[in-house]
Amino acid sequence: MDVYRKYFDPQTLSKLDGLELKARMIVEGLVSGLHRSPYEGFSVEFAEHRDYVPGDDLRYVDWKVFGKTDRIYLKQYEEETNFACYVVVDASESMRYKSAGAAVSKFEYAQYLAAALAFLVLRQHDAAGLVLFDDEIREFIRASAQASQLKALLRALYQRLPAVPTGVGVILDELAERIRKRGLIIIISDLFDSVDSIVKGLKHFRHRRHDVAVLQVIDPAEEDFPFEEPTLFRGLEGGPELLSEPRALKKAYQREFRGFLDSLRRHCRDLHVEHILLRTDTPLDVGLRTFVSARSDRLHRS
Amino acid sequence: MTNSFSQPVLAFGFLSPWLLWGALLAGIPILIHLLHRRNHREMEWAAMRFLLDASRKASRRIRLERLLLLLIRTLILLLLALAFARPYIESIGGELLAHTPMHHVIVVDASYSMQAEEAGVSLFQRAQQMARKMIENARQGDAFHLVRISSLPPQSIVSRASYRREAVLSELADQSPTDERGDLPTTLGKVLQHLEEGPAIGRRQVTILSDFQVGLWWPDSTDERQRIRDLLVELDRQAEVILVDLHPPESQNLAVLSLESTAELISVNRPVKLAAVVLNDSHTARNNQPVDLLVDGRLAETVTADLPAHRETIVRFEQVFPGSGEYELQVRIADAFLPRDNSALMAAPVREAVNVLLVNGRPDGRKMHQATDYLRLALAPTPGDERGNLIRPTVIAEGELPESDLSRFDVVFLCDVALVTPAEGQLLDRYVRGGGSLIMTAGPQLQSDVYNRVLGEEFDLMPVQLGDRIELHADNLEGLTFDPGDYTSPIVAAFKGNPFAGLTTTRIQGYLSAQIRESDDGTTQVPLRYSNGEIAIAEKTVDRGRSIFLTTSVDRTWGTWAVWPSFVPMMNELVLHAVSEEWKQRQIRVGESISAVFPSMTYGMPVSIKKPDDTSVSVPLREVGEQTTVNFTDTPKKGFYRMELGHPLNTRQIYAVNLDPAESRLEAVPPTTMSEGLLAGTNISFRADWKPTGEAPTGNSAASVRGGLSSKLLFAVLGLLLVEQLMAWRFAVGLVGLVILAGLSAVLGTVHSLEGFSTGVGILVVVGMGIAFWTFRRSAGRSWRGRTGGA
């Protein structure tokens, strides 16, 4: 386990190439550490055939039909599980922030998390979908339990998106409208938006009876504010500039920041939304374990 | 009677004002602050809205904190610069501020007038007591120079600034008043020198303790007065100057100012008239005041005199000396006010005879035809009776002169000597310059050009330049007469009011025309002229001796003067005048040197001088040319100085050393004259209200006292440095530190009796901190209310 643990460190992971490998490592390490998977016991049943298109997984080619008709069809299975998981990842400009001491940016951290969660879900034959957004929804992959889903998700996560400002609340609102089927919505974002707007979006999800979990990713510097020298802070997402002495501002800033987090946490609790704060220096398995444990507790409670 | 010079009630100044340039350093924190703001790093930041909110809410407090910190940093450097510039605050009386070391120059008047007594205590003792109090009252680190007003060096008693009070006090205690007159310009010059060379410490104060006699401080000469004023102005520029007037309210001094003889020569068994000048320097006349004459310490005569107030009175004595030798005369008067000037001294060398050498230039076998015959007869009317004649002439022929020992003679006459060789000229030159008197008389043989060349040009002994021989025709029975002018010369003074002596009726038939030499330096005098205005007698002082030229003959070749009544007294007066300097040279004043010349053969002769305190010192002889001289300068005390001359002279000479009579007049310069004259336009304090039991002019008197602030400022800098560090770490902690510092300074100020200053500073700082704290609280409260309201 220690060997795995070493790789859960975001700093170590950042050196590896290939999101799939990273996600696999995270999850295998995690699962091997769990006594029991909360998602075991799923099965699938044949539904219909459809024409083969290049790129489809050859494992699902119905060779019998091919032998009879000389045409290539793929077997499609009907989902038997009710569980569909959407990983909603904030890809806005503020997520690109990486402080000097951090190994990865918040977005990179979110990528790992999203990949690992997708891997985890798909591994247990549940459907996993992905939403990538900034000020609008950039990518929307419907939840699916197909084996090719992981690749599709990872490909979407890998794509380079332009750095634009975010609007978390509005996007959540929009998404709640779009994802009609009940499921688990995992929002990975720094949530740097107005609390009211975010809460409104979350409420919308809850109204649709979605199970919502918020993984709030922040950079350690955003919480610790460790700066000493006079600094000109240039706001990402087109924010104003501020020249200040960080030492003098530190307390006030931290007070504001904590106030924001507390407010968010309080509202999440009120809405029965899982809220987990993750710093990018937190080992990913710890983050995932926290999330999984929280989910497990929640399931047992319900 | 304090002179009301403008003294600031509170004055602020710097002892090293050039170091105030260091205050520019105070701009450094501001500069750093500005540069710091320019040199910042840039950073992208995601959580901008929280930073903006924090900045908006905390900016006021942060600005205040930064401002206060900047203020403290600036203050630290400013105070540091101020401390190095050594500020002082000067105040009058009351609470004194901080202290910086002081350089004291204490000047004590040691002239003999300071020996005047009042209630059994002399002015000098009062000055000493006062100086002692000043030194004892001085603080640690004060430096001292001790100077005395005197005419003889050393004026500086403690000439290098001393920090050891005990040593200075010891030097002060060892001082005694002198018999000298004060030399104010020299003394003030010394004080200036000490101020310039003195230590580079704090403040400088010059305190002059004197009786402020008119003669010393307000001399008659305008130039001298201006010189003293210039020096005082310069002193005032460099230091705080306090003049402490110690003069007694009323002078009651009686003084014998001088004692002189009216006779040219004091000789055995001849009545000598003595005149003493007695001064009554008081407001009341003293009648029937006994005045004593003492000869060799024994009372010889007492004269009762009436002495009018503020007047000088001449008291006359007559004394006969039974034998030759050195006599010590003293005239004294009883007075307890200033005992030192109660007597005047006179050394009287009494001669039995005056030896005169007559050089005959015209030998002749006939009676009364030689050039010296009439002269010898005139000087010694009773040949053979040596005892009866005061003047004892010896006649030699012209050719014997080079072989003669002139040192045995008081006067040498050259009577119608035709030629003087260079060798003879050298002999005569040595004789005259050693103190002898040479009298040359003219005659038909005398060759003017030789005299002019040899004795005039070569040896500078001639008082006149000789010209042609003027002989009146025998038929001109009227001839020429003498014109003594106003009889001011001692040679002719005896003829004044005595027409029967026949000076003005003397008939002269021939003479040598003579003019004062062009090279004359003003020492040549003409006591007697002819009626046509030509020079009859010319006299010149040559070093210690004198040279006299008589332009007519002393026999009957050029007239009948030799048989005229005026001839005998004139010749005697000439001789007596020629030797008159002898006793006058024995009378000197304190500080002047005793000098004597002896023949060259006495080189190696032991010479010692017995001083008034009966101590003897051996005096070295110095050989100057052909003569041996003694020069003794150690005459600081009034009294008789007895010079003992060993083999081969085996004799002694007595010198009377008297006080300068100017110091006997005790009148002080009036305060108005001081303030409007000497001290006009200066800040010099002139005080006369000191009492022996009072305080020294330092301390809480009206004299200003200055206090330095440097050390206090440095402590403040230290405290502020600590506060700055605390504030940089935790502002609130630093604020508490600042309040504690203010409180401590107030407490320490109270402990060290600096209430005024420290309380002021303490209150200022506390009020400042209160305002800052109040603003801080207000700002924090608003921010808190804003937050809760928002929630």
Side-chain angles (χ1 to χ4, degrees):
Chain A
M1 181 174 169
D2 288 341
V3 180
Y4 281 115
R5 172 56 63 83
K6 187 174 74 178
Y7 295 106
F8 297 155
D9 180 31
Q11 198 152 3
T12 313
L13 281 171
S14 69
K15 292 172 189 164
L16 301 175
D17 203 9
L19 199 54
E20 185 179 349
L21 173 65
K22 291 173 189 173
R24 191 183 296 278
M25 287 179 71
I26 295 164
V27 174
E28 281 179 359
L30 174 73
V31 170
S32 67
L34 292 173
H35 295 293
R36 184 173 68 92
S37 168
Y39 297 106
E40 62 188 341
F42 284 87
S43 64
V44 290
E45 219 169 77
F46 176 75
E48 58 184 352
H49 284 100
R50 70 165 174 82
D51 288 338
Y52 170 79
V53 289
D56 281 346
D57 194 344
L58 290 176
R59 287 183 299 176
Y60 301 110
V61 172
D62 192 337
W63 297 110
K64 288 179 181 174
V65 176
F66 176 71
K68 292 172 184 172
T69 64
D70 207 16
R71 295 178 66 178
I72 300 173
Y73 290 99
L74 291 185
K75 288 189 279 188
Q76 287 197 312
Y77 300 86
E78 191 178 323
E79 275 184 304
E80 285 194 346
T81 175
N82 288 330
F83 185 81
C85 175
Y86 278 94
V87 182
V88 181
V89 179
D90 183 355
S92 68
E93 195 178 2
S94 70
M95 289 292 284
R96 309 296 167 89
Y97 177 71
K98 178 167 89 91
S99 63
V104 291
S105 69
K106 291 189 280 184
F107 182 66
E108 285 171 307
Y109 194 87
Q111 280 179 314
Y112 301 157
L113 271 179
L117 285 168
F119 189 85
L120 199 61
V121 172
L122 290 171
R123 188 173 176 274
Q124 298 188 129
H125 307 292
D126 285 329
L130 176 73
V131 178
L132 217 57
F133 73 92
D134 39 49
D135 64 336
E136 59 184 48
I137 295 166
R138 297 286 174 187
E139 193 74 48
F140 186 92
I141 301 175
R142 286 200 170 277
S144 167
Q146 287 183 3
S148 60
Q149 181 72 351
L150 183 65
K151 271 194 170 51
L153 295 185
L154 294 181
R155 199 180 301 119
L157 276 173
Y158 256 127
Q159 70 179 305
R160 288 191 176 280
L161 293 172
V164 290
T166 187
V168 184
V170 179
I171 298 296
L172 291 182
D173 211 27
E174 189 183 332
L175 274 177
E177 201 61 41
R178 199 159 168 179
I179 304 172
R180 293 190 170 275
K181 188 176 180 182
R182 274 184 56 219
L184 171 63
I185 310 294
I186 302 171
I187 302 165
I188 307 175
S189 168
D190 55 11
L191 299 175
F192 286 172
D193 198 355
S194 84
V195 175
D196 293 343
S197 170
I198 295 166
V199 168
K200 191 182 166 202
L202 293 175
K203 273 184 178 168
H204 202 160
F205 272 119
R206 291 297 294 157
H207 179 71
R208 298 282 182 182
R209 303 178 65 81
H210 286 297
D211 194 359
V212 185
V214 173
L215 299 184
Q216 189 177 7
V217 180
I218 58 167
D219 192 277
E222 286 170 341
E223 188 176 33
D224 300 340
F225 207 65
F227 313 112
E228 298 283 332
E229 299 164 20
T231 308
L232 177 70
F233 292 99
R234 282 194 281 106
L236 291 169
E237 304 188 356
E241 292 181 344
L242 178 70
L243 178 62
S244 71
E245 285 194 24
R247 275 194 303 178
L249 267 181
K250 184 174 180 174
K251 279 189 177 173
Y253 167 83
Q254 286 180 324
R255 198 159 46 236
E256 289 293 322
F257 193 71
R258 272 199 303 274
F260 164 74
L261 293 181
D262 291 345
S263 171
L264 207 58
R265 204 174 281 134
R266 199 164 50 246
H267 281 103
C268 286
R269 192 175 60 238
D270 294 346
L271 293 171
H272 300 286
V273 171
E274 209 73 51
H275 177 268
I276 292 165
L277 182 69
L278 293 172
R279 287 161 55 117
T280 57
D281 60 350
T282 313
L284 282 154
D285 68 323
V286 175
L288 275 178
R289 192 190 301 276
T290 311
F291 172 67
V292 170
S293 305
R295 292 296 306 166
S296 176
D297 291 348
R298 193 180 178 86
L299 287 172
H300 286 302
R301 276 203 302 274
S302 59
Chain B
M1 189 182 60
T2 303
N3 202 356
S4 58
F5 294 116
S6 57
Q7 288 280 356
V9 173
L10 190 68
F12 189 75
F14 296 95
L15 296 170
S16 307
W18 57 93
L19 285 174
L20 279 178
W21 286 104
L24 293 176
L25 292 175
I28 287 178
I30 298 168
L31 204 66
I32 289 173
H33 175 75
L34 293 174
L35 287 175
H36 208 47
R37 285 180 70 84
R38 284 172 65 94
N39 297 330
H40 56 262
R41 51 184 290 203
E42 291 187 11
M43 180 190 285
E44 290 189 327
W45 188 246
M48 203 63 199
R49 46 175 285 228
F50 311 111
L51 199 59
L52 287 171
D53 284 350
S55 171
R56 197 179 64 250
K57 288 173 184 171
S59 62
R60 184 171 173 167
R61 180 181 56 79
I62 290 167
R63 266 209 305 277
L64 188 75
E65 286 178 6
R66 271 168 34 190
L67 197 69
L68 203 60
L69 203 58
L70 190 67
L71 198 72
I72 284 174
R73 285 169 181 164
T74 309
L75 200 62
I76 285 169
L77 290 172
L78 198 68
L79 292 181
L80 207 60
L82 284 176
F84 281 124
R86 295 188 296 176
Y88 64 84
I89 290 179
E90 188 179 74
S91 68
I92 295 179
E95 300 157 16
L96 302 182
L97 301 179
H99 172 78
T100 55
M102 185 183 268
H103 174 202
H104 296 271
V105 182
I106 300 173
V107 185
V108 178
D109 187 349
S111 62
Y112 79 80
S113 63
M114 291 290 283
Q115 296 180 51
E117 289 184 4
E118 193 183 13
V121 181
S122 75
L123 301 184
F124 187 81
Q125 286 170 325
R126 286 172 62 190
Q128 266 182 318
Q129 287 170 4
M130 188 162 174
R132 195 178 66 242
K133 280 189 179 180
M134 286 179 65
I135 296 165
E136 286 169 349
N137 288 354
R139 300 198 188 187
Q140 197 70 34
D142 285 9
F144 296 92
H145 270 111
L146 202 57
V147 180
R148 64 173 192 175
I149 299 178
S150 63
S151 57
L152 296 177
Q155 272 87 10
S156 298
I157 306 305
V158 178
S159 57
R160 294 189 63 178
S162 174
Y163 295 87
R164 294 172 54 231
R165 274 189 284 186
E166 294 72 21
V168 180
L169 284 170
S170 165
E171 284 291 340
L172 179 70
D174 287 346
Q175 291 305 303
S176 57
T178 66
D179 282 351
E180 301 160 29
R181 195 181 173 208
D183 181 352
L184 198 53
T186 306
T187 308
L188 295 182
K190 284 278 179 195
V191 174
L192 274 174
Q193 188 186 333
H194 291 326
L195 286 177
E196 282 161 14
E197 295 170 354
I201 58 166
R203 302 149 297 139
R204 303 193 284 190
Q205 188 184 66
V206 177
T207 311
I208 301 176
L209 310 162
S210 173
D211 55 3
F212 292 94
Q213 268 186 297
V214 170
L216 184 61
W217 287 86
W218 193 249
D220 294 334
S221 160
T222 316
D223 289 345
E224 275 183 54
R225 225 181 277 171
Q226 187 58 41
R227 169 123 179 83
I228 293 170
R229 177 170 158 73
D230 290 346
L231 287 163
L232 284 171
V233 168
E234 183 59 23
L235 276 182
D236 181 47
R237 204 179 61 76
Q238 297 200 16
E240 180 192 358
V241 183
I242 302 167
L243 307 183
V244 183
D245 185 4
L246 298 172
H247 91 274
E250 186 184 342
S251 169
Q252 297 163 357
N253 191 30
L254 292 180
V256 183
L257 300 182
S258 66
L259 173 60
E260 289 187 342
S261 165
T262 52
E264 297 278 356
L265 186 76
I266 304 171
S267 56
V268 176
N269 291 328
R270 289 169 193 268
V272 177
K273 287 181 178 172
L274 302 167
V277 180
V278 179
L279 170 73
N280 178 7
D281 189 39
S282 71
H283 295 298
T284 52
R286 303 283 188 89
N287 294 326
N288 300 320
Q289 186 74 34
V291 184
D292 299 332
L293 170 69
L294 285 81
V295 177
D296 286 341
R298 290 188 294 275
L299 183 63
E301 188 179 357
T302 299
V303 173
T304 304
D306 293 339
L307 308 173
H310 292 299
R311 288 281 179 81
E312 291 176 9
T313 307
I314 296 176
V315 181
R316 298 181 191 282
F317 300 90
E318 191 168 285
Q319 185 67 25
V320 176
F321 298 97
S324 64
E326 304 277 328
Y327 287 85
E328 296 174 359
L329 310 184
Q330 181 181 8
V331 169
R332 73 177 182 197
I333 195 166
D335 168 40
F337 188 75
L338 177 54
R340 202 63 191 154
D341 65 359
N342 287 357
S343 63
L345 312 178
M346 180 180 162
V350 178
R351 282 179 170 276
E352 193 173 347
V354 177
N355 293 316
V356 179
L357 179 66
L358 308 180
V359 182
N360 180 17
R362 205 175 59 242
D364 198 313
R366 293 171 294 172
K367 195 176 181 183
M368 302 305 285
H369 275 71
Q370 297 192 110
T372 54
D373 284 347
Y374 286 94
L375 179 58
R376 184 180 57 81
L377 195 60
L379 296 178
T382 54
D385 182 10
E386 292 289 321
R387 286 190 173 180
N389 295 328
L390 171 63
I391 300 171
R392 293 177 186 169
T394 302
V395 180
I396 61 168
E398 184 181 355
E400 294 176 68
L401 179 61
E403 304 301 325
S404 300
D405 176 13
L406 300 186
S407 65
R408 294 197 296 113
F409 298 99
D410 300 301
V411 181
V412 172
F413 271 89
L414 297 184
C415 298
D416 197 17
V417 174
L419 299 170
V420 178
T421 63
E424 290 167 342
Q426 191 175 14
L427 183 71
L428 292 170
D429 180 64
R430 204 182 303 155
Y431 167 70
V432 173
R433 292 184 193 280
S437 294
L438 172 65
I439 303 174
M440 296 162 280
T441 65
Q445 292 194 145
L446 189 147
Q447 294 186 17
S448 300
D449 55 336
V450 175
Y451 272 67
N452 286 338
R453 193 180 66 251
V454 177
L455 292 183
E457 294 168 15
E458 199 171 335
F459 293 106
D460 198 24
L461 290 176
M462 286 290 284
V464 290
Q465 177 80 12
L466 297 176
D468 297 334
R469 182 190 306 170
I470 310 293
E471 289 190 48
L472 301 182
H473 196 271
D475 294 340
N476 187 352
L477 294 176
E478 290 297 316
L480 289 170
T481 56
F482 287 124
D483 176 11
D486 55 2
Y487 296 93
T488 50
S489 167
I491 296 172
V492 294
F495 292 95
K496 187 177 183 181
N498 196 359
F500 297 109
L503 182 65
T504 53
T505 57
T506 306
R507 294 289 180 271
I508 303 297
Q509 294 291 330
Y511 63 94
L512 287 176
S513 74
Q515 300 293 326
I516 302 289
R517 294 176 63 207
E518 288 180 4
S519 61
D520 178 54
D521 55 1
T523 57
T524 301
Q525 292 179 335
V526 181
L528 191 65
R529 289 180 183 272
Y530 299 114
S531 51
N532 62 359
E534 291 262 28
I535 295 170
I537 297 174
E539 178 191 8
K540 177 185 181 181
T541 303
V542 182
D543 289 352
R544 296 170 58 82
R546 67 179 65 188
S547 166
I548 299 171
F549 199 96
L550 181 57
T551 58
T552 190
S553 67
V554 288
D555 54 18
R556 296 189 62 185
T557 52
W558 278 352
T560 57
W561 189 26
V563 292
W564 205 252
S566 63
F567 184 72
V568 172
M570 175 59 84
M571 292 304 113
N572 276 275
E573 286 301 318
L574 264 179
V575 169
L576 294 179
H577 174 68
V579 297
S580 66
E581 286 296 295
E582 189 178 19
W583 74 263
K584 288 182 181 169
Q585 284 174 1
R586 304 291 186 83
Q587 325 302 322
I588 59 174
R589 283 184 182 166
V590 168
E592 293 177 352
S593 59
I594 296 171
S595 57
V597 178
F598 306 104
S600 60
M601 66 176 188
T602 55
Y603 188 72
M605 173 178 68
V607 178
S608 65
I609 287 182
K610 196 175 183 185
K611 296 199 281 189
D613 58 2
D614 285 341
T615 58
S616 286
V617 286
S618 172
V619 184
L621 287 169
R622 286 194 305 158
E623 200 165 17
V624 180
E626 299 288 328
Q627 295 162 346
T628 308
T629 62
V630 163
N631 200 43
F632 182 74
T633 55
D634 187 20
T635 57
K637 288 287 176 190
K638 173 186 172 182
F640 290 106
Y641 288 69
R642 301 166 185 94
M643 186 190 290
E644 304 285 346
L645 306 166
H647 182 74
L649 295 183
N650 292 319
T651 183
R652 69 169 188 164
Q653 293 180 354
I654 294 178
Y655 291 80
V657 176
N658 277 297
L659 304 175
D660 187 326
E663 283 280 328
S664 293
R665 292 180 178 83
L666 298 180
E667 184 195 355
V669 186
T672 48
T673 310
M674 286 296 279
S675 58
E676 292 167 12
L678 272 187
L679 310 180
T682 67
N683 287 321
I684 296 175
S685 168
F686 181 57
R687 297 163 42 91
D689 55 353
W690 178 80
K691 294 283 182 291
T693 53
E695 284 296 315
T698 53
N700 297 345
S701 67
S704 60
V705 176
R706 295 163 170 189
L709 297 169
S710 289
S711 56
K712 307 292 174 294
L713 287 175
L714 286 175
F715 276 119
V717 165
L718 214 63
L720 285 175
L721 275 173
L722 185 68
V723 166
E724 192 269 342
Q725 288 294 308
L726 288 173
M727 273 189 174
W729 174 57
R730 291 275 169 83
F731 185 80
V733 178
L735 208 61
V736 171
L738 190 59
V739 173
I740 291 172
L741 180 70
L744 266 180
S745 69
V747 170
L748 285 175
T750 310
V751 171
H752 290 98
S753 305
L754 305 172
E755 297 87 350
F757 170 70
S758 291
T759 309
V761 169
I763 288 171
L764 274 177
V765 175
V766 166
V767 167
M769 288 308 93
I771 292 170
F773 200 71
W774 175 74
T775 315
F776 171 75
R777 285 292 300 268
R778 213 176 145 197
S779 160
R782 187 176 295 157
S783 141
W784 181 78
R785 277 195 301 278
R787 268 207 311 278
T788 50

